[in-house]
Amino acid sequence: MLKNIAVLISGGGSNLQALIDQMDKIDARIKLVLSNKKEAYGLERAKKAGINQVYLNGKLEDYDQRLLKILKDEQIDLIVLAGYLKILDKQLVKDFEGRIINIHPSLLPSFCGDGQYGIKVHRSAYQRGVKLSGATVHFVDEGTDTGPIILQETVALDFEDRPEDIQKKVLEVEHRILAEAVKLFCQDRLVIENNRVKILKR
Ligand code: GRF
C-alpha cells in the first residue's frame, strides 16, 4: 500500500523540495506539509507542488494535541522532520515510534543536542576544525538527535571553508540521503535492532 508521508518544517524547506523532486523514485505520497511558522517558505513550495499545506501556530497551548490529531486523521505512516525546529511531544514520539525520521546536518554523534541546529552546527564544526563533516538521517526517539542512525554521508572540508560554505556542502548531501532514507522506509527495508538500523537488501 502507498504510504502517507507528512513533512514537518519550520523554514526554507530545501529538504522538502528535494523530497518533492525525488518522489517519482519513492513509493509513497506526501499527504501534507505542516509548519509551526507562518512565514516558512516551505509552505509555498508545498503549494506550488499541489500538496496540502497546514500552518499550525507553534505558540498554541494545545499545539501538540492538534498536531497529533491532524497526523492521525490523515492516516500518516511516516513523519519526516525537515528543518523542523520544535521539540516533538513525548506522546507523539511514542505513538509514531519507528516512524519518524529526522535529518541532521552533521555526522552524529558530533555537533548535536540542544541548541545545535541550522548554521550553529556548522559554526561548531568550523571552530573545531574538523576535516570531514556530513549529514545524518536517523529515527527519532525521546532524546535530541539520539535515535537510531539510518544513513550518513561525509563531505570533505577545506581550510578556507567558512560555516556558510560548510552548510552549502552539507545541504547537497542532505538532499540526497534524506530521499534515500525515505525510499528505504517506504520499501519496508529498515529494521531497528538494539538501537541500530539494519538495511535489508532487495
Ligand atoms: C537543514 O540543514 C536540516 O538538516 C536542519 O535544518 C536545515 C533545514 O534546511 N535540520 P531546509 O529548511 O530544509 O532548507
Side-chain angles (χ1 to χ4, degrees):
M1 257 247 296
L2 211 59
K3 290 195 179 8
N4 290 327
I5 301 175
V7 184
L8 272 48
I9 57 160
S10 301
S14 71
N15 277 292
L16 163 68
Q17 189 65 54
L19 269 185
I20 292 172
D21 294 345
Q22 296 175 76
M23 276 318 282
D24 56 336
K25 291 188 272 178
I26 302 171
D27 213 11
R29 63 175 163 169
I30 303 177
K31 195 137 185 240
L32 85 129
V33 171
L34 183 142
S35 172
N36 63 319
K37 300 263 183 212
K38 199 172 188 178
E39 66 282 4
Y41 182 65
L43 287 175
E44 192 61 34
R45 295 181 191 268
K47 193 174 170 192
K48 282 190 186 142
I51 300 165
N52 180 18
Q53 342 101 50
V54 180
Y55 158 59
L56 188 59
N57 185 343
K59 293 190 177 122
L60 285 172
E61 215 169 285
D62 59 348
Y63 179 89
D64 292 325
Q65 292 89 315
R66 285 190 192 217
L67 175 60
L68 192 55
K69 184 172 183 326
I70 292 170
L71 297 169
K72 288 192 170 169
D73 286 352
E74 294 287 338
Q75 300 185 312
I76 296 303
D77 300 300
L78 172 68
I79 301 171
V80 177
L81 308 182
Y84 180 67
L85 299 177
K86 199 164 159 55
I87 301 294
L88 288 182
D89 176 54
K90 281 197 174 65
Q91 189 62 46
L92 194 150
V93 174
K94 210 169 150 211
D95 289 1
F96 282 86
E97 195 189 348
R99 298 192 291 141
I100 312 174
I101 282 177
N102 181 47
I103 175 90
H104 185 79
S106 74
L107 295 173
L108 290 180
S110 289
F111 313 125
C112 67
D114 293 338
Q116 287 291 324
Y117 59 87
I119 192 73
K120 294 180 186 186
V121 177
H122 306 299
R123 282 195 198 119
S124 302
Y126 173 83
Q127 278 156 12
R128 190 61 188 82
V130 292
K131 303 298 183 198
L132 287 176
S133 190
T136 304
V137 190
H138 63 95
F139 281 112
V140 172
D141 64 9
E142 57 290 339
T144 308
D145 304 322
T146 52
I149 292 171
I150 303 169
L151 292 175
Q152 292 187 299
E153 195 176 315
T154 57
V155 295
L157 303 184
D158 297 323
F159 183 77
E160 288 71 27
D161 284 339
R162 307 285 309 168
E164 292 72 19
D165 303 313
I166 302 175
Q167 183 174 45
K168 212 169 147 207
K169 284 185 173 179
V170 171
L171 260 181
E172 267 180 45
V173 166
E174 289 185 43
H175 295 164
R176 201 165 44 242
I177 65 171
L178 179 62
E180 182 61 23
V182 169
K183 182 175 161 187
L184 291 169
F185 178 92
C186 292
Q187 291 174 337
D188 295 318
R189 292 172 60 196
L190 301 177
V191 182
I192 303 173
E193 278 181 14
N194 299 323
N195 215 39
R196 299 166 73 229
V197 176
K198 184 186 203 171
I199 301 174
L200 302 178
K201 295 208 166 46
R202 294 203 90 174

